[in-house]
């Protein structure tokens, strides 16, 4: 087996890329990196099947605040009266498409609907939508129970 990694190009030829190492990130570094980007993917159950949606997020302490862009996703994730929340996963990354160098973080925890009008107003001013849509009036708070991350380096 060769010592160097390869990647496929558009015309299906393989091109050599530098070998990479994978390093596990500790919780603090993983959450710090998560806070350095604004887009990720929330994984939840919809009609008893796994579903994934891209969403924008921000960090509020160690919690991840996400803003679903449609009411159906929000309703599938957590009911307004649900006190304990619903288990979800959240993933974000920054991996260079050319070199495949970067990081990926996955958080698993309980999502709860944010209902406090003051918090909703504060989050609305800080969340950066990833597409034009009417002002969002909903947000979810994900409390990280399990945080895993990896960094890809040369």
């Amino acid at each position: 087996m060769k010592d160097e990694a390869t990647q496929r190009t558009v015309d299906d030829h393989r091109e050599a890329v530098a070998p990479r190492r994978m390093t596990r990130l500790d919780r603090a570094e993983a959450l710090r990196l998560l806070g350095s980007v604004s887009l990720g993917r929330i994984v939840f159950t919809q009609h008893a099947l796994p579903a994934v949606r891209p969403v924008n997020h921000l960090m509020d302490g160690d919690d991840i605040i996400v803003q679903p862009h449609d009411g159906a996703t929000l309703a599938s994730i957590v009911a307004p009266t649900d006190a304990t929340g619903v288990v979800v996963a959240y993933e974000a990354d920054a991996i260079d498409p050319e070199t495949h160098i970067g990081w990926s973080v996955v958080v698993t925890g309980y999502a709860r609907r944010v209902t406090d009008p003051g918090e909703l107003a504060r989050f609305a001013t800080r969340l950066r939508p990833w597409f034009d849509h009417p002002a969002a009036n909903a947000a979810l708070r994900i409390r990280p129970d399990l945080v895993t991350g990896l960094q890809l380096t040369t």
Side-chain angles (χ1 to χ4, degrees), residues 22 24 28 33 43 46-47 57 59 64 79 83 87 95 97 105 108-110 126 133 141 148 154:
M22 183 177 72
R24 298 213 181 273
L33 287 169
V43 181
Q46 186 173 36
H47 305 296
H57 74 268
M59 299 299 292
I64 299 108
V87 174
I95 299 175
V105 171
T108 304
Y110 285 93
R126 294 178 49 212
H133 69 292
R141 175 183 300 276
T148 59
T154 55

Side-chain angles (χ1 to χ4, degrees), residues 1-63:
M1 176 171 221
K2 284 189 173 180
D3 188 88
E4 63 185 34
T6 61
Q7 70 181 27
R8 288 195 182 270
T9 60
V10 175
D11 59 0
D12 206 29
H13 289 88
R14 291 197 178 262
E15 177 180 305
V17 294
R20 288 177 260 346
R21 290 189 338 243
M22 183 177 72
T23 307
R24 298 213 181 273
L25 300 170
D26 66 27
R27 179 185 177 96
E29 179 65 2
L31 291 174
R32 184 193 71 75
L33 287 169
L34 191 60
S36 72
V37 298
S38 62
L39 297 176
R41 289 153 295 282
I42 189 164
V43 181
F44 59 99
T45 303
Q46 186 173 36
H47 305 296
L49 296 171
V52 180
R53 296 288 186 279
V55 293
N56 58 315
H57 74 268
L58 60 84
M59 299 299 292
D60 187 42
D62 283 352
D63 293 348

Side-chain angles (χ1 to χ4, degrees), residues 38-119:
S38 62
L39 297 176
R41 289 153 295 282
I42 189 164
V43 181
F44 59 99
T45 303
Q46 186 173 36
H47 305 296
L49 296 171
V52 180
R53 296 288 186 279
V55 293
N56 58 315
H57 74 268
L58 60 84
M59 299 299 292
D60 187 42
D62 283 352
D63 293 348
I64 299 108
I65 307 300
V66 299
Q67 186 177 49
H69 297 292
D70 64 74
T73 299
L74 178 66
S76 294
I77 295 173
V78 62
T81 58
D82 191 3
T84 60
V86 173
V87 174
V88 299
Y90 190 75
E91 191 272 342
D93 53 53
I95 299 175
D96 184 276
E98 297 287 323
T99 63
H100 298 183
I101 302 294
W103 57 268
S104 178
V105 171
V106 177
V107 170
T108 304
Y110 285 93
R112 293 174 184 83
R113 188 172 189 159
V114 176
T115 57
D116 179 82
E119 280 192 318

